[in-house]
Amino acid sequence: MTTWTLPEPADFQWKMKPPESARTNFHLLPNDSFELTIEHDPIKGVTPKMLDWWFRNIGGDMVYQGKTYSRYRVWHPIDHIHWALAAPAPDGSVGQGSEFHIVEAFNANMDWLIDSIEHVEKLDETGIRLVLRKLGTEVFRLEHWFEPHPEGTLYRSRMQVGAENTFGMLIFQPLVRPFIFTEEMGYAWLKHNIEEVGNFEFFLPELYEREVLSAPAPAAAQG
């Protein structure tokens, strides 16, 4: 198992959005699953089409402020550690059916480290849904919804940690979750997600313009 360390923060001179910029909620479902929701401040200058493209092209490096960085690190220059495509979709693409390997530490606290391989159940211009199953039971679900807005995109998020069934009630919630995702981590995730979603405004329009809108058209095949 890889031992992760937190890289030095990249100082982009950003002022990340504070928790009070969004509407959040954290409560327990009937069988003690954690449910966390966020209604983000509109993402200015970022369209749902850009977000769909981003999640399909999150891997690799990019040039930002004159230097080369991992794209995943640019997205959150303090908390993000590693992203990899653990498995492509059945058609070989990055999208619905892929597996994402995600490593991050909320609030740059290695006690709140996430090292998870998550299945992309949905990805299109309306949003993305990631799920994790243990022993055939879904124990984690994270969904983001994208909606066009005059300023860019309305972005809503919902995370559920736990299973609303007998396995969750008797095994996962009381015996497993306290060791992998605490209530404190839940509140830290709310702050983390508000920051990373807000950060799209700083880099994604420029990246999309460079790599999609201004990219040279592929050469025609020679017959």
Side-chain angles (χ1 to χ4, degrees):
M1 186 174 184
T2 302
T3 300
W4 299 104
T5 58
L6 196 67
E8 285 294 318
D11 185 7
F12 297 141
Q13 300 298 309
W14 291 352
K15 185 177 180 180
M16 293 193 283
K17 291 186 178 181
E20 56 268 23
S21 70
R23 296 171 59 186
T24 64
N25 194 11
F26 184 167
H27 70 274
L28 294 179
L29 297 178
N31 288 325
D32 289 338
S33 290
F34 291 163
E35 182 187 51
L36 301 88
T37 61
I38 307 173
E39 294 182 26
H40 296 270
D41 192 43
I43 314 175
K44 297 178 177 63
V46 175
T47 66
K49 190 177 186 70
M50 291 180 192
L51 293 167
D52 179 34
W53 176 86
W54 165 256
F55 285 107
R56 297 176 189 275
N57 294 272
I58 192 173
D61 296 333
M62 63 179 285
V63 175
Y64 186 71
Q65 296 185 356
K67 296 183 179 179
T68 299
Y69 301 92
S70 155
R71 293 187 182 194
Y72 187 63
R73 288 280 292 149
V74 172
W75 188 18
H76 197 300
I78 299 173
D79 295 355
H80 282 178
I81 298 172
H82 173 79
W83 182 96
L85 182 65
D91 65 2
S93 68
V94 179
Q96 184 172 321
S98 298
E99 305 279 338
F100 287 1
H101 184 194
I102 296 168
V103 185
E104 57 193 1
F106 304 148
N107 293 353
N109 184 341
M110 292 301 285
D111 291 334
W112 294 337
L113 179 72
I114 296 294
D115 181 355
S116 180
I117 296 178
E118 298 163 12
H119 177 74
V120 182
E121 194 172 78
K122 168 194 170 179
L123 177 56
D124 58 29
E125 291 184 26
T126 67
I128 182 172
R129 181 166 60 246
L130 304 172
V131 299
L132 176 65
R133 293 180 174 85
K134 297 292 185 184
L135 301 177
T137 299
E138 182 182 302
V139 296
F140 169 86
R141 172 177 291 252
L142 173 61
E143 187 155 13
H144 302 292
W145 292 269
F146 315 147
E147 183 180 341
H149 182 272
E151 293 182 281
T153 297
L154 286 178
Y155 196 113
R156 294 181 297 115
S157 305
R158 178 185 182 272
M159 176 192 282
Q160 181 176 338
V161 185
E164 285 296 291
N165 55 25
T166 302
F167 171 80
M169 181 175 60
L170 299 181
I171 298 176
F172 186 81
Q173 274 89 273
L175 302 179
V176 179
R177 187 183 62 198
F179 297 98
I180 62 173
F181 199 94
T182 63
E183 183 174 345
E184 291 78 12
M185 288 177 70
Y187 284 107
W189 175 80
L190 290 171
K191 176 178 180 290
H192 166 86
N193 192 248
I194 290 166
E195 290 173 346
E196 68 179 3
V197 170
N199 288 347
F200 280 131
E201 296 180 0
F202 297 120
F203 73 89
L204 186 52
E206 176 187 343
L207 179 65
Y208 189 80
E209 170 69 31
R210 183 169 68 241
E211 298 212 358
V212 179
L213 301 181
S214 298
Q222 297 297 313

